[in-house]
Amino acid sequence: MKNWRVSVHFLFLSISLFVFPFRAQSQDPRRVLSSAERYRMIQSISVDLQDVLNVIDTLYYKKLDYVDCYIKIQNGGLSNCLDPYSTYVTAKERADMEVERLDPTYFGVGIRMIFGVGDKLCLLIPMSDTISIETGVKAGDMLLSINDQPIFGLESDSVRKIIIEGLDTFSITVNRDGKKIGPLHLTRKLRYKTDVVFEKIDSTLARIYLFGFNAQSYVDLENTLRRVRKEIKSGSFILDLRYNPGGNTGSTINIIHLFARDSNRLVVTLKNTNTGWVAIDSVKKVGEFHDLNFVILNERRTASAAELFSGVMKSWKRAPIVGDTTFGKGVGQRYVLLPSGNFLHLSVFEMFLGDSANVRIQGVGIPPDYFIVNKPPSSKMIFRDDEFHTAVKVIKRTIH
């Protein structure tokens, strides 16, 4: 039986649904460019080709043969020479990214949609307690219909089209633990972005969804962890990193420091074997949340910075990991400005974990301590999150 894989979409912006697969640094390397896409990429790069090659030769995270790379780019674009996370970005594309990144708000209903690729079904996660109360939607609800139009069997693009073409107020029907619930009425309005969602399971346990690592999620996570300390008697929670494509390395390292139980512990070693550059980060003091108890939930599409976090927690024996082996993206990127005004989003370092800096993420991923993969929804469209229930069992053993 095929595993039920997921991709993440966020009801976002004026069109209400912002597609949120892997960010540029976490694109799926298994995706094959069409002939037309390859041609357009080669044409756009050609004006900057010499500068692109010079940047690659100078900054790429590992040494490549200059002439060989030139020939490969000419024949098939950047992906023919570099890793799949290194991309060419036009000045306009970069500007649009910055506008979106810097805008703290969006126009939508505040619900994240997690699509099952194989079964074309999706689960819903309200982005705050307020939204859950406002809409009646609860985490794990399975979407059945939008404005009485069934969505079973539809691809995510088709679901998105239904929502985009709808009104600012619309209704949905969901399946919750085998029961049909609805209609639930949703209204688009201006909301604040967040990658951190708190869910109180009971008086002894909470779940924190973390969908990305960035400066704002660091602040939001700090506040959420203080809420755990205040509202959860045991100080225990499940950190759900499923569907997390990664984010900023610096913010991830800052978040890691929050959980340190010892000082003078190595966090990560970043290496560029092309230039000889090495950066080492270590913990200097005990973290603010050293006393909190948690379990990490991962799956195949947990990637990049989320793998760095998981890997460090595993090497420290700080938190057990439940789920599946992660994606295996262990390289980090930066935007390099070209003379034309365009950019090369280039992999410039590889991450290594462990006191000997010998644990590699790239192409390997972080294995779980407790392996479990969710099964597809049943014929009655009932979905059981076995990964989550296993995580609950694991952490309940530690709660006294």
Side-chain angles (χ1 to χ4, degrees), residues 59-96:
L59 296 177
Y60 193 54
Y61 80 98
K62 61 183 179 181
K63 189 66 178 175
L64 297 176
D65 183 273
Y66 189 95
V67 175
D68 182 59
C69 195
Y70 170 80
I71 294 171
K72 287 180 176 179
I73 291 176
Q74 288 281 57
N75 291 334
L78 282 180
S79 61
N80 207 30
C81 173
L82 306 179
D83 66 87
Y85 318 112
S86 296
T87 56
Y88 180 84
V89 180
T90 67
K92 183 181 184 306
E93 288 170 337
R94 177 64 176 147
D96 291 344

Side-chain angles (χ1 to χ4, degrees), residues 4-205:
W4 193 51
R5 298 302 181 202
V6 294
S7 60
V8 180
H9 302 258
F10 192 13
L11 298 183
F12 206 64
L13 301 176
S14 58
I15 63 172
S16 185
L17 194 69
F18 176 75
V19 181
F20 189 53
F22 289 108
R23 298 187 178 108
Q25 68 265 39
S26 301
Q27 292 174 344
D28 191 335
R30 292 158 292 193
R31 179 177 178 269
V32 179
L33 293 176
S34 67
S35 298
E37 287 175 317
R38 185 179 293 109
Y39 176 78
R40 286 195 298 271
M41 178 178 289
I42 294 172
Q43 289 297 104
S44 64
I45 292 174
S46 61
V47 67
D48 286 323
L49 184 55
Q50 189 63 56
D51 296 317
V52 166
L53 286 167
N54 288 338
V55 170
I56 292 170
D57 190 50
T58 305
L59 296 177
Y60 193 54
Y61 80 98
K62 61 183 179 181
K63 189 66 178 175
L64 297 176
D65 183 273
Y66 189 95
V67 175
D68 182 59
C69 195
Y70 170 80
I71 294 171
K72 287 180 176 179
I73 291 176
Q74 288 281 57
N75 291 334
L78 282 180
S79 61
N80 207 30
C81 173
L82 306 179
D83 66 87
Y85 318 112
S86 296
T87 56
Y88 180 84
V89 180
T90 67
K92 183 181 184 306
E93 288 170 337
R94 177 64 176 147
D96 291 344
M97 291 176 192
E98 280 298 287
V99 169
E100 180 184 310
R101 183 182 70 84
L102 295 173
D103 187 353
T105 63
Y106 68 97
F107 189 73
V109 300
I111 296 174
R112 200 175 289 259
M113 305 179 73
I114 303 169
F115 280 85
V117 174
D119 297 270
K120 304 179 182 65
L121 298 173
C122 67
L123 303 178
L124 308 179
I125 300 176
M127 297 309 293
S128 73
D129 296 352
T130 303
I131 292 170
S132 182
I133 294 171
E134 170 192 328
T135 63
V137 174
K138 294 186 177 181
D141 283 351
M142 183 177 291
L143 184 61
L144 297 178
S145 66
I146 302 171
N147 287 338
D148 296 323
Q149 181 174 349
I151 63 111
F152 176 75
L154 296 181
E155 297 283 357
S156 58
D157 285 347
S158 300
V159 176
R160 184 167 65 254
K161 183 178 179 182
I162 294 171
I163 294 177
I164 290 173
E165 294 178 349
L167 302 173
D168 283 347
T169 298
F170 58 96
S171 64
I172 63 173
T173 302
V174 302
N175 184 306
R176 183 179 301 158
D177 298 325
K179 297 179 181 179
K180 185 177 179 181
I181 307 294
L184 304 175
H185 301 286
L186 310 180
T187 301
R188 298 184 182 97
K189 61 183 180 182
L190 197 65
R191 304 177 188 274
Y192 283 96
K193 298 175 185 175
T194 181
D195 281 325
V196 182
V197 179
F198 175 89
E199 178 191 6
K200 187 172 182 179
I201 297 169
D202 57 40
S203 62
T204 65
L205 184 63

Side-chain angles (χ1 to χ4, degrees), residues 196-243:
V196 182
V197 179
F198 175 89
E199 178 191 6
K200 187 172 182 179
I201 297 169
D202 57 40
S203 62
T204 65
L205 184 63
R207 167 159 52 177
I208 299 174
Y209 293 93
L210 181 56
F211 291 105
F213 288 85
N214 52 62
Q216 187 57 51
S217 65
Y218 172 81
V219 174
D220 292 343
L221 183 60
E222 271 192 313
N223 292 331
T224 303
L225 291 171
R226 292 181 185 125
R227 182 176 177 184
V228 168
R229 181 175 282 155
K230 181 179 179 180
E231 297 184 21
I232 306 300
K233 293 186 298 184
S234 66
S236 299
F237 65 97
I238 295 168
L239 185 61
D240 200 331
L241 298 182
R242 296 175 299 176
Y243 338 120

Side-chain angles (χ1 to χ4, degrees), residues 273-310:
T273 56
N274 182 18
T275 64
W277 176 83
V278 176
I280 300 173
D281 182 81
S282 59
V283 170
K284 304 302 181 185
K285 61 180 181 179
V286 174
E288 179 181 352
F289 303 105
H290 65 92
D291 56 319
L292 296 186
N293 176 39
F294 68 104
V295 167
I296 298 171
L297 256 179
N298 283 340
E299 49 98 43
R300 275 290 180 185
R301 302 195 68 176
T302 303
S304 193
E307 295 179 276
L308 169 58
F309 178 88
S310 299

